Amino acid sequence: AQRVTQPEKLLSVFKGAPVELKCNYSYSGSPELFWYVQYSRQRLQLLLRHISRESIKGFTADLNKGETSFHLKKPFAQEEDSAMYYCALSYSSASKIIFGSGTRLSIRP
Amino acid sequence: NAGVMQNPRHLVRRRGQEARLRCSPMKGHSHVYWYRQLPEEGLKFMVYLQKENIIDESGMPKERFSAEFPKEGPSILRIQQVVRGDSAAYFCASSVGQGDTEAFFGQGTRLTVV
């Protein structure tokens, strides 16, 4: 079955430190991978998707098919990065989006 | 474009009552998804609908839960005879197409069963 695993419920780092939020998936085909973010009191919104290969707000994520991972990285954390981050997977045959359990990122000043 | 609108934002129901959650997708979006978020847990897929069709309801409990997305009007998630375990945040998302397009989320409805 398709699954998204985010092993860390909470990640706390100091401002200016590098950040890596881990995401592993299980799917035998070619998935679409996404990262969604939910800032305090705001709705869930798309941060980035692997197909676009963009850097958004300094964040990047590389799809590693060999390790079935899609870790989210940022070289220097900022306080405004504090939020809940969800890794998600979709596949065109079924169309639904499957989310991981989320990682709460807390940036300490 | 006002974005995905969910109402009510908060809903309190007594055990045994019915809960109706509404979701108006973004203009031009014909695909709607419902997710449930239990405390301290992630988003669990419930159902995926297109206008007048249920495409995937594999995440819906077999009893008491139903969803519709009529030709006119919002999508409705209906929970009959609510129990305490139904207390959760219910999120709706909409998109223009199938799963490889961006889904836009509403702010959610927080259901509390007392």
Side-chain angles (χ1 to χ4, degrees), chain A residues 4-93:
Chain A
V4 178
T5 303
Q6 293 180 251
E8 302 139 328
K9 274 197 165 183
L10 173 67
L11 183 63
S12 182
V13 302
F14 284 106
K15 178 182 171 182
V19 172
E20 182 178 54
L21 286 80
K22 291 185 168 50
C23 172
N24 289 89
Y25 66 91
S26 59
Y27 178 61
S28 56
S30 295
E32 289 282 341
L33 273 298
F34 308 84
W35 276 98
Y36 280 79
V37 61
Q38 188 174 28
Y39 300 104
S40 179
R41 295 184 183 150
Q42 294 186 29
R43 64 186 68 196
L44 201 66
Q45 57 188 287
L46 180 68
L47 178 63
L48 56 79
R49 54 199 300 177
H50 92 270
I51 197 171
S52 63
R53 296 183 175 274
E54 291 176 305
S55 173
I56 307 293
K57 298 185 179 182
F59 285 97
T60 59
D62 291 318
L63 177 60
N64 186 323
K65 290 189 177 181
E67 296 182 358
T68 59
S69 68
F70 189 56
H71 304 325
L72 184 68
K73 299 177 184 178
K74 184 169 183 176
F76 307 104
Q78 298 171 296
E79 288 186 66
E80 55 264 33
D81 296 329
S82 293
M84 193 76 177
Y85 291 80
Y86 291 93
C87 183
L89 171 155
S90 75
Y91 44 104
S92 58
S93 63

Coordinates of all heavy atoms in Angstrom, one line a residue, chain A residues 4-93:
Chain A
V4 N 3.3 7.3 3.3 CA 4.3 8.4 3.5 C 4.7 8.4 5.0 O 3.8 8.5 5.8 CB 3.7 9.8 3.1 CG1 4.8 10.8 3.3 CG2 3.3 9.7 1.6
T5 N 6.0 8.3 5.2 CA 6.4 8.3 6.6 C 7.3 9.5 6.9 O 8.3 9.8 6.2 CB 7.3 7.0 6.8 OG1 6.5 5.9 6.5 CG2 7.7 6.9 8.3
Q6 N 6.9 10.2 8.0 CA 7.7 11.3 8.5 C 8.1 10.9 9.9 O 7.3 10.9 10.8 CB 6.9 12.6 8.5 CG 6.6 13.1 7.1 CD 5.9 14.4 7.2 OE1 4.7 14.5 6.8 NE2 6.5 15.5 7.5
P7 N 9.4 10.5 10.1 CA 9.7 9.8 11.4 C 9.8 10.8 12.6 O 9.7 10.3 13.7 CB 11.1 9.2 11.1 CG 11.6 10.1 9.9 CD 10.5 10.5 9.1
E8 N 9.9 12.1 12.3 CA 10.1 13.0 13.4 C 8.8 13.8 13.6 O 8.3 14.4 12.7 CB 11.2 14.0 13.1 CG 12.5 13.4 12.8 CD 13.3 14.0 11.7 OE1 12.7 14.5 10.7 OE2 14.5 14.1 11.8
K9 N 8.2 13.7 14.8 CA 7.0 14.5 15.1 C 7.4 16.0 15.4 O 6.7 16.9 15.0 CB 6.3 14.0 16.3 CG 5.4 12.8 16.1 CD 4.4 12.6 17.2 CE 3.3 11.8 16.8 NZ 2.3 11.6 17.9
L10 N 8.6 16.1 16.0 CA 9.0 17.5 16.3 C 10.5 17.6 16.0 O 11.3 16.7 16.3 CB 8.8 17.7 17.8 CG 9.4 19.0 18.4 CD1 8.6 20.3 17.8 CD2 9.2 19.1 19.9
L11 N 10.8 18.7 15.4 CA 12.2 19.0 15.1 C 12.5 20.4 15.6 O 11.8 21.4 15.2 CB 12.5 18.9 13.6 CG 14.0 19.1 13.2 CD1 14.9 18.0 13.8 CD2 14.1 19.0 11.7
S12 N 13.5 20.6 16.5 CA 13.8 21.9 17.0 C 15.3 22.2 16.7 O 16.2 21.4 17.0 CB 13.6 21.9 18.5 OG 13.9 23.2 19.1
V13 N 15.5 23.4 16.0 CA 16.8 23.8 15.7 C 17.0 25.3 16.0 O 16.0 26.0 16.0 CB 17.2 23.5 14.2 CG1 17.0 22.0 13.8 CG2 16.3 24.4 13.3
F14 N 18.3 25.7 16.1 CA 18.5 27.1 16.3 C 18.5 27.9 15.0 O 18.8 27.3 13.9 CB 19.9 27.3 17.0 CG 19.9 26.9 18.4 CD1 20.5 25.8 18.9 CD2 19.3 27.8 19.4 CE1 20.5 25.4 20.2 CE2 19.3 27.5 20.7 CZ 19.9 26.3 21.1
K15 N 18.1 29.1 15.1 CA 18.1 30.0 14.0 C 19.5 30.0 13.4 O 20.5 30.1 14.1 CB 17.8 31.4 14.5 CG 17.8 32.5 13.4 CD 17.4 33.8 14.0 CE 17.7 35.0 13.0 NZ 17.4 36.3 13.6
G16 N 19.5 29.9 12.0 CA 20.8 29.9 11.3 C 21.4 28.5 11.1 O 22.3 28.4 10.3
A17 N 20.8 27.5 11.8 CA 21.3 26.2 11.6 C 20.6 25.5 10.4 O 19.6 25.9 10.0 CB 21.0 25.4 12.9
P18 N 21.3 24.5 9.9 CA 20.6 23.8 8.7 C 19.4 22.9 9.2 O 19.4 22.5 10.4 CB 21.7 22.9 8.2 CG 22.7 22.7 9.3 CD 22.6 23.9 10.2
V19 N 18.5 22.8 8.3 CA 17.3 22.0 8.6 C 17.1 20.9 7.6 O 17.3 21.1 6.4 CB 16.0 22.9 8.6 CG1 14.8 22.1 8.7 CG2 16.1 24.0 9.6
E20 N 16.7 19.7 8.1 CA 16.4 18.6 7.2 C 15.2 17.9 7.8 O 15.3 17.3 8.9 CB 17.5 17.6 7.0 CG 17.1 16.5 6.0 CD 18.3 15.6 5.8 OE1 18.8 15.0 6.7 OE2 18.6 15.4 4.6
L21 N 14.1 17.9 7.1 CA 12.9 17.2 7.5 C 12.8 16.0 6.7 O 12.7 16.0 5.5 CB 11.6 18.1 7.4 CG 11.4 19.2 8.4 CD1 12.2 20.4 8.0 CD2 9.9 19.6 8.5
K22 N 12.7 14.8 7.3 CA 12.8 13.6 6.6 C 11.4 13.1 6.1 O 10.4 13.3 6.8 CB 13.4 12.5 7.5 CG 14.9 12.7 7.7 CD 15.5 11.6 8.5 CE 17.1 11.7 8.5 NZ 17.6 13.0 8.9
C23 N 11.4 12.5 5.0 CA 10.2 11.9 4.4 C 10.6 10.7 3.6 O 11.5 10.8 2.7 CB 9.5 12.9 3.5 SG 8.1 12.2 2.6
N24 N 10.0 9.6 3.9 CA 10.2 8.4 3.1 C 8.8 7.9 2.6 O 7.8 8.1 3.2 CB 10.8 7.3 3.9 CG 12.3 7.6 4.1 OD1 12.6 8.2 5.1 ND2 13.1 7.1 3.2
Y25 N 8.8 7.3 1.4 CA 7.5 6.9 0.9 C 7.6 5.5 0.4 O 8.7 4.9 0.1 CB 7.1 7.8 -0.3 CG 8.0 7.7 -1.5 CD1 7.7 6.8 -2.5 CD2 9.1 8.6 -1.6 CE1 8.6 6.8 -3.6 CE2 9.9 8.5 -2.7 CZ 9.7 7.6 -3.7 OH 10.5 7.5 -4.8
S26 N 6.4 4.8 0.2 CA 6.4 3.5 -0.4 C 5.4 3.6 -1.5 O 4.2 3.8 -1.3 CB 6.0 2.4 0.7 OG 4.8 2.7 1.2
Y27 N 5.9 3.3 -2.7 CA 5.0 3.3 -3.9 C 5.9 2.7 -5.0 O 7.0 3.1 -5.2 CB 4.5 4.7 -4.3 CG 3.7 4.7 -5.5 CD1 2.5 3.9 -5.6 CD2 4.1 5.4 -6.7 CE1 1.7 3.9 -6.8 CE2 3.3 5.4 -7.8 CZ 2.1 4.6 -7.9 OH 1.4 4.6 -9.0
S28 N 5.4 1.7 -5.7 CA 6.2 1.0 -6.7 C 6.3 1.7 -8.0 O 7.2 1.4 -8.8 CB 5.6 -0.4 -6.9 OG 4.2 -0.3 -7.3
G29 N 5.5 2.7 -8.3 CA 5.5 3.4 -9.5 C 6.2 4.7 -9.5 O 7.2 4.8 -8.7
S30 N 5.8 5.6 -10.3 CA 6.5 7.0 -10.3 C 5.5 8.0 -9.6 O 4.6 8.4 -10.2 CB 6.7 7.4 -11.7 OG 7.7 6.5 -12.3
P31 N 5.8 8.3 -8.4 CA 4.9 9.2 -7.7 C 5.2 10.7 -7.9 O 6.2 11.0 -8.4 CB 5.1 8.8 -6.2 CG 6.6 8.5 -6.2 CD 6.9 7.9 -7.5
E32 N 4.2 11.5 -7.6 CA 4.4 12.9 -7.4 C 4.6 13.2 -6.0 O 3.8 12.7 -5.1 CB 3.2 13.7 -7.9 CG 3.0 13.6 -9.4 CD 3.9 14.6 -10.2 OE1 4.4 15.5 -9.5 OE2 4.1 14.4 -11.4
L33 N 5.6 13.9 -5.6 CA 5.9 14.2 -4.2 C 5.8 15.7 -4.0 O 6.1 16.5 -4.8 CB 7.3 13.7 -3.8 CG 7.5 12.3 -3.3 CD1 6.7 12.0 -2.1 CD2 7.2 11.3 -4.4
F34 N 5.2 16.0 -2.8 CA 4.9 17.4 -2.4 C 5.4 17.6 -1.0 O 5.4 16.7 -0.2 CB 3.4 17.7 -2.5 CG 2.8 17.4 -3.8 CD1 2.3 16.1 -4.0 CD2 2.5 18.4 -4.7 CE1 1.6 15.8 -5.2 CE2 1.9 18.1 -5.9 CZ 1.4 16.8 -6.1
W35 N 5.6 18.9 -0.7 CA 5.7 19.3 0.7 C 4.7 20.4 0.9 O 4.6 21.4 0.1 CB 7.1 19.9 1.1 CG 8.1 18.8 1.5 CD1 9.0 18.2 0.7 CD2 8.2 18.2 2.7 NE1 9.7 17.2 1.4 CE2 9.2 17.2 2.6 CE3 7.5 18.3 4.0 CZ2 9.6 16.4 3.7 CZ3 7.9 17.5 5.0 CH2 9.0 16.6 4.9
Y36 N 3.8 20.2 1.9 CA 2.9 21.2 2.3 C 3.3 21.8 3.7 O 3.9 21.1 4.5 CB 1.5 20.6 2.4 CG 0.8 20.5 1.1 CD1 1.0 19.4 0.3 CD2 -0.2 21.4 0.7 CE1 0.4 19.2 -0.9 CE2 -0.9 21.2 -0.5 CZ -0.6 20.1 -1.3 OH -1.2 19.9 -2.5
V37 N 2.9 23.1 3.9 CA 3.3 23.7 5.2 C 2.0 24.4 5.8 O 1.1 24.9 5.0 CB 4.4 24.8 5.0 CG1 4.0 25.9 4.0 CG2 4.8 25.4 6.3
Q38 N 1.9 24.3 7.1 CA 0.8 25.0 7.8 C 1.4 25.9 8.9 O 1.9 25.4 9.9 CB -0.1 24.0 8.4 CG -1.4 24.6 9.0 CD -2.4 23.5 9.4 OE1 -2.0 22.4 9.8 NE2 -3.7 23.9 9.4
Y39 N 1.4 27.2 8.6 CA 1.8 28.2 9.6 C 0.7 28.4 10.6 O -0.4 28.0 10.4 CB 2.2 29.5 9.0 CG 3.3 29.4 7.9 CD1 3.0 29.4 6.6 CD2 4.6 29.2 8.4 CE1 4.1 29.3 5.6 CE2 5.7 29.1 7.4 CZ 5.4 29.1 6.1 OH 6.4 29.0 5.2
S40 N 1.1 28.9 11.8 CA 0.1 29.0 12.9 C -1.1 29.8 12.4 O -1.0 30.9 11.8 CB 0.8 29.8 14.0 OG -0.1 29.9 15.1
R41 N -2.3 29.2 12.6 CA -3.6 29.8 12.4 C -3.8 30.1 10.9 O -4.6 30.9 10.5 CB -3.7 31.1 13.2 CG -3.8 30.8 14.6 CD -4.1 32.1 15.4 NE -4.0 31.8 16.9 CZ -3.6 32.6 17.8 NH1 -3.3 33.8 17.5 NH2 -3.6 32.3 19.0
Q42 N -3.1 29.4 10.0 CA -3.3 29.5 8.6 C -3.6 28.2 8.0 O -3.5 27.1 8.6 CB -2.0 30.1 7.9 CG -1.7 31.5 8.3 CD -0.6 32.1 7.5 OE1 -0.4 31.7 6.3 NE2 0.2 33.0 8.1
R43 N -4.2 28.2 6.8 CA -4.5 26.9 6.2 C -3.3 26.3 5.6 O -2.3 26.9 5.4 CB -5.6 27.2 5.1 CG -5.1 28.0 3.9 CD -6.3 28.3 3.0 NE -7.3 29.2 3.6 CZ -8.5 29.3 3.2 NH1 -8.9 28.7 2.1 NH2 -9.3 30.2 3.8
L44 N -3.4 25.0 5.4 CA -2.4 24.2 4.7 C -2.1 24.7 3.3 O -3.1 25.0 2.6 CB -2.8 22.7 4.7 CG -1.8 21.6 4.5 CD1 -0.9 21.6 5.8 CD2 -2.4 20.3 4.3
Q45 N -0.9 24.9 2.9 CA -0.6 25.4 1.6 C 0.6 24.6 1.0 O 1.5 24.2 1.8 CB -0.3 26.9 1.6 CG 0.8 27.3 2.5 CD 0.9 28.8 2.7 OE1 1.3 29.5 1.8 NE2 0.5 29.3 3.8
L46 N 0.6 24.6 -0.3 CA 1.7 23.9 -1.0 C 3.0 24.7 -0.8 O 3.1 25.9 -1.0 CB 1.4 23.7 -2.4 CG 2.5 23.0 -3.3 CD1 2.6 21.5 -2.9 CD2 2.1 23.1 -4.8
L47 N 4.1 24.0 -0.4 CA 5.4 24.7 -0.3 C 6.2 24.4 -1.6 O 6.6 25.3 -2.3 CB 6.2 24.1 0.9 CG 7.6 24.7 1.1 CD1 7.5 26.2 1.4 CD2 8.3 24.0 2.3
L48 N 6.3 23.1 -2.0 CA 7.0 22.8 -3.2 C 6.6 21.4 -3.6 O 6.1 20.6 -2.9 CB 8.5 23.0 -3.1 CG 9.3 22.3 -2.0 CD1 9.6 20.8 -2.4 CD2 10.7 23.0 -1.8
R49 N 6.9 21.1 -4.9 CA 6.7 19.8 -5.5 C 7.9 19.4 -6.3 O 8.6 20.2 -6.8 CB 5.5 19.9 -6.4 CG 5.5 20.9 -7.5 CD 4.2 21.3 -8.0 NE 3.6 20.2 -8.7 CZ 2.3 20.2 -9.2 NH1 1.6 21.3 -9.2 NH2 1.8 19.2 -9.8
H50 N 8.2 18.1 -6.3 CA 9.4 17.7 -6.8 C 9.5 17.9 -8.3 O 10.6 18.2 -8.9 CB 9.7 16.2 -6.5 CG 9.2 15.2 -7.6 ND1 7.9 14.7 -7.6 CD2 9.8 14.7 -8.7 CE1 7.7 13.9 -8.6 NE2 8.9 13.9 -9.3
I51 N 8.4 17.9 -9.0 CA 8.4 18.0 -10.5 C 8.9 19.4 -10.9 O 9.5 19.6 -12.0 CB 7.0 17.7 -11.0 CG1 7.2 17.4 -12.5 CG2 6.1 18.8 -10.8 CD1 5.9 16.9 -13.1
S52 N 8.7 20.4 -10.0 CA 9.0 21.8 -10.4 C 10.5 22.1 -10.1 O 11.1 23.1 -10.7 CB 8.2 22.8 -9.7 OG 8.4 22.7 -8.3
R53 N 11.1 21.3 -9.2 CA 12.5 21.5 -8.9 C 12.9 23.0 -8.5 O 13.9 23.5 -8.9 CB 13.4 21.1 -10.1 CG 13.3 19.6 -10.4 CD 14.2 19.2 -11.6 NE 14.2 17.8 -11.8 CZ 14.9 16.9 -11.1 NH1 15.8 17.3 -10.2 NH2 14.9 15.6 -11.4
E54 N 11.9 23.6 -7.8 CA 12.1 24.9 -7.4 C 12.7 25.0 -6.0 O 12.7 24.0 -5.2 CB 10.8 25.7 -7.4 CG 10.2 26.0 -8.8 CD 8.9 26.6 -8.7 OE1 8.0 26.1 -8.0 OE2 8.7 27.7 -9.3
S55 N 13.2 26.2 -5.6 CA 13.6 26.5 -4.2 C 12.6 27.5 -3.8 O 12.5 28.6 -4.3 CB 15.0 27.0 -4.1 OG 15.3 27.4 -2.8
I56 N 11.8 27.2 -2.7 CA 10.8 28.1 -2.2 C 11.2 28.5 -0.8 O 11.4 27.6 0.0 CB 9.4 27.4 -2.2 CG1 9.1 26.9 -3.6 CG2 8.4 28.4 -1.8 CD1 8.9 27.9 -4.7
K57 N 11.3 29.8 -0.6 CA 11.6 30.3 0.8 C 12.9 29.6 1.3 O 13.1 29.4 2.5 CB 10.5 30.0 1.8 CG 9.2 30.7 1.4 CD 8.2 30.6 2.5 CE 6.9 31.3 2.1 NZ 5.8 31.2 3.1
G58 N 13.8 29.3 0.3 CA 15.1 28.7 0.7 C 15.1 27.2 0.9 O 16.1 26.6 1.1
F59 N 13.9 26.6 0.8 CA 13.7 25.2 0.9 C 13.9 24.5 -0.4 O 13.4 25.0 -1.4 CB 12.4 24.8 1.5 CG 12.2 25.1 3.0 CD1 11.6 26.2 3.4 CD2 12.6 24.1 3.9 CE1 11.4 26.5 4.7 CE2 12.5 24.4 5.3 CZ 11.8 25.6 5.7
T60 N 14.5 23.3 -0.4 CA 14.6 22.4 -1.5 C 14.3 21.0 -1.1 O 14.5 20.7 0.1 CB 16.0 22.5 -2.2 OG1 17.0 22.1 -1.2 CG2 16.4 23.8 -2.7
A61 N 14.0 20.2 -2.0 CA 13.7 18.8 -1.8 C 14.1 18.0 -3.0 O 13.6 18.3 -4.1 CB 12.3 18.5 -1.3
D62 N 14.8 17.0 -2.8 CA 15.3 16.1 -4.0 C 14.6 14.7 -3.8 O 14.7 14.1 -2.8 CB 16.8 16.0 -4.0 CG 17.4 17.3 -4.4 OD1 16.9 18.0 -5.3 OD2 18.4 17.7 -3.8
L63 N 14.1 14.3 -4.9 CA 13.5 13.0 -4.9 C 14.6 11.9 -5.2 O 15.3 12.0 -6.2 CB 12.4 12.8 -6.0 CG 11.7 11.5 -6.2 CD1 11.0 11.1 -4.9 CD2 10.8 11.5 -7.4
N64 N 14.7 11.0 -4.2 CA 15.7 9.9 -4.3 C 15.0 8.6 -4.5 O 14.5 8.1 -3.5 CB 16.6 9.9 -3.1 CG 17.8 8.9 -3.2 OD1 17.6 7.8 -3.8 ND2 18.9 9.3 -2.7
K65 N 14.9 8.2 -5.7 CA 14.0 7.0 -5.9 C 14.7 5.7 -5.4 O 14.0 4.8 -4.9 CB 13.8 6.8 -7.4 CG 12.9 7.8 -8.0 CD 12.5 7.5 -9.4 CE 11.5 8.5 -10.0 NZ 11.0 8.2 -11.3
G66 N 16.0 5.7 -5.3 CA 16.7 4.6 -4.8 C 16.4 4.4 -3.3 O 16.2 3.3 -2.8
E67 N 16.4 5.5 -2.6 CA 16.1 5.5 -1.1 C 14.6 5.7 -0.8 O 14.3 5.8 0.4 CB 17.0 6.5 -0.4 CG 18.5 6.2 -0.5 CD 19.3 7.2 0.3 OE1 18.7 8.2 0.9 OE2 20.5 7.1 0.3
T68 N 13.8 5.9 -1.9 CA 12.4 6.3 -1.7 C 12.3 7.4 -0.7 O 11.5 7.3 0.3 CB 11.5 5.1 -1.4 OG1 11.9 4.5 -0.2 CG2 11.5 4.1 -2.5
S69 N 13.0 8.5 -0.9 CA 13.0 9.6 0.1 C 12.8 10.9 -0.6 O 13.0 11.0 -1.8 CB 14.3 9.7 0.9 OG 15.4 10.0 0.1
F70 N 12.3 11.9 0.1 CA 12.0 13.2 -0.4 C 12.2 14.2 0.7 O 11.3 14.9 1.2 CB 10.6 13.3 -1.0 CG 10.3 14.6 -1.8 CD1 11.1 15.0 -2.8 CD2 9.2 15.3 -1.4 CE1 10.8 16.1 -3.5 CE2 8.9 16.5 -2.1 CZ 9.7 16.9 -3.2
H71 N 13.4 14.3 1.2 CA 13.7 15.1 2.4 C 13.7 16.6 2.1 O 14.2 17.0 1.0 CB 15.1 14.7 3.0 CG 15.2 13.3 3.4 ND1 14.1 12.5 3.8 CD2 16.3 12.4 3.3 CE1 14.5 11.3 4.1 NE2 15.8 11.2 3.8
L72 N 13.2 17.4 3.0 CA 13.1 18.8 2.8 C 14.3 19.5 3.5 O 14.6 19.2 4.7 CB 11.8 19.3 3.4 CG 11.5 20.8 3.2 CD1 11.3 21.2 1.7 CD2 10.3 21.2 4.0
K73 N 15.0 20.3 2.8 CA 16.2 20.9 3.4 C 16.2 22.4 3.2 O 15.7 23.0 2.3 CB 17.5 20.3 2.7 CG 17.6 18.8 2.8 CD 18.8 18.3 2.0 CE 18.9 16.8 2.1 NZ 20.0 16.3 1.3
K74 N 16.9 23.0 4.2 CA 17.2 24.5 4.1 C 18.5 24.7 4.8 O 18.7 24.2 6.0 CB 16.1 25.3 4.8 CG 16.2 26.8 4.7 CD 15.0 27.5 5.1 CE 15.2 29.0 4.9 NZ 14.0 29.8 5.2
P75 N 19.4 25.4 4.2 CA 20.8 25.6 4.8 C 20.8 26.4 6.1 O 21.6 26.1 7.0 CB 21.6 26.2 3.7 CG 20.6 26.8 2.7 CD 19.4 26.0 2.9
F76 N 19.9 27.4 6.1 CA 20.0 28.3 7.3 C 18.5 28.6 7.8 O 17.8 29.4 7.1 CB 20.7 29.7 6.9 CG 22.0 29.5 6.3 CD1 22.2 29.7 5.0 CD2 23.1 29.1 7.1 CE1 23.5 29.5 4.4 CE2 24.4 28.9 6.5 CZ 24.5 29.1 5.2
A77 N 18.2 28.1 8.9 CA 16.8 28.2 9.4 C 16.5 29.6 9.8 O 17.4 30.3 10.4 CB 16.5 27.3 10.5
Q78 N 15.3 30.1 9.6 CA 14.8 31.4 10.1 C 13.6 31.2 11.0 O 12.9 30.2 10.9 CB 14.4 32.3 8.9 CG 15.5 32.5 7.9 CD 15.1 33.2 6.6 OE1 14.4 32.6 5.9 NE2 15.5 34.4 6.4
E79 N 13.4 32.1 11.9 CA 12.3 32.0 12.9 C 11.0 31.8 12.2 O 10.1 31.1 12.7 CB 12.3 33.2 13.8 CG 13.5 33.2 14.8 CD 13.4 34.3 15.9 OE1 12.4 34.2 16.7 OE2 14.2 35.1 15.8
E80 N 10.8 32.5 11.1 CA 9.5 32.4 10.4 C 9.2 31.0 9.7 O 8.2 30.8 9.2 CB 9.3 33.5 9.4 CG 10.4 33.6 8.3 CD 11.5 34.6 8.7 OE1 11.7 34.7 10.0 OE2 12.1 35.2 7.8
D81 N 10.2 30.1 9.8 CA 10.1 28.8 9.2 C 9.3 27.9 10.2 O 8.9 26.8 9.9 CB 11.4 28.2 8.9 CG 12.1 28.9 7.8 OD1 11.5 29.5 6.9 OD2 13.4 28.9 7.8
S82 N 9.1 28.4 11.4 CA 8.4 27.5 12.4 C 7.0 27.3 11.9 O 6.2 28.2 11.7 CB 8.3 28.3 13.8 OG 9.6 28.4 14.3
A83 N 6.7 26.0 11.8 CA 5.4 25.6 11.2 C 5.3 24.1 11.3 O 6.2 23.4 11.7 CB 5.2 26.1 9.8
M84 N 4.1 23.6 10.8 CA 3.9 22.2 10.6 C 4.2 21.8 9.2 O 3.6 22.5 8.3 CB 2.5 21.8 11.0 CG 2.2 20.4 11.2 SD 2.9 19.8 12.8 CE 2.3 18.1 12.7
Y85 N 5.0 20.8 8.9 CA 5.3 20.4 7.5 C 4.8 19.0 7.3 O 5.0 18.1 8.0 CB 6.8 20.5 7.3 CG 7.3 21.9 7.4 CD1 7.6 22.6 8.6 CD2 7.6 22.6 6.2 CE1 8.1 23.9 8.6 CE2 8.1 23.9 6.2 CZ 8.3 24.5 7.4 OH 8.8 25.8 7.4
Y86 N 4.1 18.9 6.1 CA 3.6 17.6 5.7 C 4.2 17.2 4.4 O 4.2 18.0 3.4 CB 2.1 17.6 5.6 CG 1.3 17.8 6.8 CD1 0.9 19.1 7.3 CD2 0.9 16.7 7.6 CE1 0.2 19.2 8.5 CE2 0.2 16.8 8.8 CZ -0.1 18.1 9.2 OH -0.8 18.3 10.4
C87 N 4.7 16.0 4.3 CA 5.1 15.4 3.1 C 3.9 14.7 2.5 O 3.1 14.1 3.2 CB 6.3 14.4 3.3 SG 7.0 13.7 1.9
A88 N 3.8 14.7 1.1 CA 2.6 14.1 0.5 C 2.9 13.5 -0.8 O 3.9 13.9 -1.5 CB 1.5 15.2 0.3
L89 N 2.1 12.5 -1.1 CA 2.4 11.7 -2.4 C 1.1 11.6 -3.1 O 0.0 11.4 -2.5 CB 2.9 10.3 -2.0 CG 3.0 9.2 -3.0 CD1 4.1 8.2 -2.5 CD2 1.7 8.4 -3.2
S90 N 1.2 11.6 -4.4 CA 0.0 11.3 -5.2 C 0.5 10.5 -6.5 O 1.7 10.5 -6.8 CB -0.7 12.6 -5.7 OG 0.0 13.2 -6.7
Y91 N -0.5 9.8 -7.1 CA -0.2 9.0 -8.3 C -1.4 9.1 -9.2 O -2.5 9.0 -8.8 CB 0.2 7.6 -7.9 CG -0.8 7.0 -6.9 CD1 -1.7 6.1 -7.2 CD2 -0.6 7.3 -5.5 CE1 -2.6 5.5 -6.3 CE2 -1.5 6.8 -4.6 CZ -2.4 5.9 -4.9 OH -3.3 5.3 -4.0
S92 N -1.1 9.3 -10.4 CA -2.2 9.8 -11.4 C -3.3 8.7 -11.5 O -4.4 9.1 -11.8 CB -1.6 10.1 -12.7 OG -0.9 9.0 -13.2
S93 N -3.0 7.5 -11.3 CA -4.0 6.5 -11.5 C -5.2 6.6 -10.4 O -6.3 6.2 -10.7 CB -3.4 5.1 -11.4 OG -2.9 4.8 -10.2

